[in-house]
Amino acid sequence: MNTADLGLPVDVPSTALFTDQYELTMLQAALKAGTAERRSVFEVFTRRLPEGRRYGVVAGTGRVLDAVENFRFDPDVLGFLAERKIVDEPTLRRLAGYHFSGDIWGYPEGEVYFPGSPIMRVEGSFAECVLLETVILSILNHDSAIAAAASRMASAAGDRPLIEMGARRTHELAAVAASRAAYVGGFATTSDLAAGFRYGIPTVGTSAHAFTLLHDRERDAFQAQVDSLGRGTTLLVDTYDVAEAVRTAVEVAGPELGAVRIDSGDLLLVAHRVRQQLDELGARDTKIVVTSDLDEYAIASLAAAPVDAYGVGTQLVTGSGHPTCSMVYKLVARAGSADPKAPLVPVAKKSTGGKTSVGGRKWAARRLDADGVAEAEVVGTGEVPAELVDQQLLTELVKSGQVVAREPLDASRARHATAKANLPLSATQLSRGEAVLPTEYVQGRSGS
């Protein structure tokens, strides 16, 4: 099955109403003022990383491409806008024929980013670009937050696999997006079948405490699970007494028992005791999976424990304390008229309180040191310096309204592993600190 053909995982007529009302009222005013057709450049960036984070992770790009393709104002949507008198008739007529026909460039999914990085650049008329602000930001802010948390957890876990199991801790549709973002960030599997169905992410799952409690004896529950799923299954051993459950599990499944799961207690202590007991019972190849409100810090604290895999839920799907990346979508350049050949003029908001932006259509490159390790994020306007041409980060995603860069999710996952590996070693430290790379600005002409 080609999951790319499944369409949106939500029953809506289009993505056109995944927006804020002022996007449409701005369009109405621009149409009346005669400025709606001015060529414009919008950029997505963040002014700072969440506190304590050393890098950000770009995730959700593939979902943005789906959203842009499905951004259509069909009769039902137009009827809603007309009934509520949200925009006037000329604007409704314009929306009826809406189709994004511009270009989108961006950091490829899985890449890392830093403050000021032009994560995504949207180019076209003001009329078509301004409407995409909210849906683009909602996707990138959510997915990138989850991917960043996942990346930190993957660093803490080392070679041990991570299982995403947070579906019950967030909105049902956000759970699917979170599973996808977690996979990009380094998680190996998910418990969410919707994510497996839509995105092809490997799925796992065996039983909960309810299955044990259903049966008269723990042994009966273990036997039923082994009879159904085979000796390689994972048995949950902390419903009653862990030591007794481990003994029973090996008696039922034999030394071929795949794994035991521990979901409570002092995981460090219990994991050591369970490993010793399994080895003494001859189940030396039986793995230990731990769950129970883990985050990157808890995972790191278990580095010396005989743990083989981690299951993470709440802390992952809530971004481990940072559920958004504070990305913004700002106009950075626009033409002085509707003439397609009119040159672009840099524009930028001037504000106190740190909410400033840098004008001009930007490029970005990552400068490497002599050992091939990243040493700076370089952002500029105008011509790209010759020494940075081969290190540019933005890739073409949409050309003249057509998606040109859709890729398998595994490609994004592999890209992130490579990008993270090319950062200084301090990038994976969990202690609080600043961005691991400085952002340097190179000012030049905005370009046309």
Side-chain angles (χ1 to χ4, degrees):
M1 177 177 61
N2 183 0
T3 55
D5 295 334
L6 291 176
L8 294 171
V10 53
D11 186 18
V12 296
S14 75
T15 55
L17 293 185
F18 291 166
T19 191
D20 292 306
Q21 181 167 317
Y22 78 168
E23 316 290 7
L24 302 188
T25 54
M26 281 193 287
L27 172 60
Q28 176 176 308
L31 288 170
K32 188 171 183 179
T35 54
E37 303 307 323
R38 289 186 175 185
R39 189 159 57 107
S40 300
V41 179
F42 286 82
E43 288 176 353
V44 176
F45 63 93
T46 185
R47 296 182 177 96
R48 64 191 66 83
L49 296 177
E51 184 181 358
R53 296 291 166 89
R54 304 298 181 91
Y55 60 91
V57 181
V58 178
T61 307
R63 297 207 308 121
V64 167
L65 299 180
D66 290 341
V68 171
E69 281 190 330
N70 287 279
F71 204 93
R72 301 284 188 276
F73 292 85
D74 61 24
D76 288 341
V77 171
L78 292 170
F80 164 77
L81 297 175
E83 179 184 354
R84 298 291 183 91
K85 300 186 184 303
I86 291 172
V87 292
D88 60 17
E89 284 298 325
T91 306
L92 288 172
R93 289 194 295 271
R94 176 59 182 267
L95 293 176
Y98 182 90
H99 168 71
F100 181 73
S101 62
D103 302 325
I104 299 178
W105 290 70
Y107 280 38
E109 191 157 20
E111 185 57 84
V112 296
Y113 70 87
F114 299 91
S117 297
I119 297 163
M120 186 169 286
R121 191 175 72 216
V122 181
E123 306 181 33
S125 70
F126 179 85
E128 58 185 351
C129 295
V130 72
L131 299 185
L132 299 178
E133 174 181 6
T134 303
V135 70
I136 287 177
L137 288 180
S138 66
I139 292 172
L140 293 181
N141 268 313
H142 174 269
D143 290 22
S144 296
I146 306 305
S151 180
R152 285 163 59 86
M153 293 173 186
S155 294
D159 294 332
R160 299 170 178 177
L162 291 158
I163 307 164
E164 186 281 311
M165 47 195 304
R168 64 191 61 196
R169 303 302 188 201
T170 188
H171 185 281
E172 65 271 20
L173 296 178
V176 181
S179 294
R180 183 186 184 281
Y183 190 68
V184 171
F187 273 58
T189 54
T190 180
S191 65
D192 193 314
L193 290 177
F197 174 72
R198 174 155 176 76
Y199 296 116
I201 301 170
T203 58
V204 295
T206 52
S207 67
H209 293 104
F211 187 74
T212 300
L213 295 170
L214 169 69
H215 293 81
D216 296 333
R217 299 184 303 165
E218 192 170 45
R219 177 181 295 273
D220 296 337
F222 288 174
Q223 188 65 63
Q225 185 173 325
V226 169
D227 289 346
S228 175
L229 302 178
R231 297 178 185 273
T233 191
T234 299
L235 295 176
L236 180 59
V237 295
D238 72 328
T239 304
Y240 304 118
D241 179 83
V242 173
E244 180 62 28
V246 170
R247 184 180 303 108
T248 302
V250 176
E251 289 177 359
V252 170
E256 298 86 5
L257 174 61
V260 295
R261 178 163 75 93
I262 307 166
D263 188 50
S264 59
D266 183 337
L267 296 179
L268 180 61
L269 176 62
V270 176
H272 277 286
R273 288 178 174 174
V274 169
R275 181 72 273 160
Q276 180 179 354
Q277 186 180 10
L278 288 170
D279 291 347
E280 290 173 350
L281 293 171
R284 296 182 177 277
D285 294 328
T286 299
K287 299 184 183 303
I288 297 175
V289 180
V290 295
T291 53
S292 184
D293 291 328
L294 298 178
D295 62 9
E296 59 265 50
Y297 302 101
I299 292 169
S301 73
L302 293 168
V307 171
D308 298 287
Y310 306 92
V312 189
T314 303
Q315 292 301 319
L316 175 68
V317 299
T318 57
S320 194
H322 297 291
T324 183
C325 301
S326 299
M327 293 179 186
V328 295
Y329 183 94
K330 297 299 182 183
L331 181 67
V332 296
R334 51 86 174 169
S337 73
D339 184 347
K341 296 181 180 179
L344 291 173
V345 178
V347 294
K349 175 182 178 180
K350 293 184 179 180
S351 174
T352 59
K355 297 184 71 172
T356 58
S357 58
V358 178
R361 180 179 184 271
K362 298 174 197 69
W363 51 263
R366 189 160 298 144
R367 192 172 66 238
L368 309 178
D369 65 16
D371 296 319
V373 178
E375 64 177 11
E377 192 88 339
V378 186
V379 177
T381 57
E383 187 175 352
V384 182
E387 67 273 16
L388 294 176
V389 169
D390 293 336
Q391 306 300 330
Q392 292 187 79
L393 294 164
L394 277 78
T395 60
E396 193 170 29
L397 303 173
V398 176
K399 182 176 183 179
S400 300
Q402 299 298 313
V403 174
V404 296
R406 189 169 273 114
E407 63 181 5
L409 196 58
D410 281 330
S412 302
R413 174 182 166 88
R415 180 181 295 112
H416 177 62
T418 299
K420 185 166 68 169
N422 288 337
L423 294 176
L425 288 175
S426 58
T428 59
Q429 291 179 338
L430 297 182
S431 57
R432 295 189 179 277
E434 300 298 322
V436 72
L437 296 186
T439 302
E440 301 177 0
Y441 289 97
V442 178
Q443 295 293 335
R445 294 182 301 104
S446 65
S448 59

